[in-house]
Amino acid sequence: QVQLAESGGGLVQAGGSLRLSCVVSGRTSSRYAMGWFRQAPGKEREFVATISWSAAWIFYQDSVKGRFTISRDNAKNTVYLQMNSLKPEDTAVYSCAAAETDSVSRYSTNYRYWGQGTQVTVSS
């Protein structure tokens, strides 16, 4: 059974940084894309970033470009989201997701496996 577990969320002041991690377990083979999504209170879930297996393909939501960096360590089955220059509008529950194939996408329907999420709160 494939499981995803996020960590690294917390409370930070505006301008600060956080690094989220997502460990994938139970997946024995194949190459697959990973993504980060977030959902703020009262809003729909939105795409943040996605990365292919080799990291040759990486895409970001426009509002996080230049501030967030997605990366992965396949030997550790882990994907990261480095978040710098955080803003109050970045406050949300951040979830990682794993696709069935190595196809990157900003659409949540592309991803089959999801983590429970980790709360990120940015104070002004």
Side-chain angles (χ1 to χ4, degrees), residues 4 6 20 22 33-40 44-51 59 61 64 68 70 79 81 83 90-99 103-120:
L4 281 66
E6 303 96 337
L20 306 183
C22 172
M34 294 288 297
W36 284 99
F37 290 76
R38 67 186 181 186
Q39 186 167 19
E44 293 188 354
R45 181 167 57 192
E46 64 175 2
F47 165 77
V48 177
T50 183
I51 185 169
F59 298 99
Q61 182 199 111
V64 307
F68 290 11
I70 188 171
V79 64
L81 186 67
M83 306 185 296
D90 293 318
T91 295
V93 174
Y94 285 70
S95 299
C96 62
S103 176
V104 296
S105 173
R106 62 182 61 244
Y107 298 107
S108 61
T109 51
N110 184 65
Y111 303 90
R112 178 174 181 181
Y113 306 103
W114 291 81
Q116 292 296 315
T118 185
Q119 177 70 46
V120 171

Side-chain angles (χ1 to χ4, degrees), residues 5 23-25 28-29 33 36 39 41 43 47-48 51 54 60 75 77 84 91 98-99 112 115 119 121:
V23 178
V24 182
S25 61
T28 58
S29 63
W36 284 99
Q39 186 167 19
K43 295 187 177 181
F47 165 77
V48 177
I51 185 169
S54 67
Y60 297 97
N77 296 319
N84 300 328
T91 295
R112 178 174 181 181
Q119 177 70 46
T121 303

Side-chain angles (χ1 to χ4, degrees), residues 62-75:
D62 286 346
S63 69
V64 307
K65 284 181 182 178
R67 300 189 298 122
F68 290 11
T69 302
I70 188 171
S71 62
R72 65 191 298 167
D73 184 338
N74 294 327

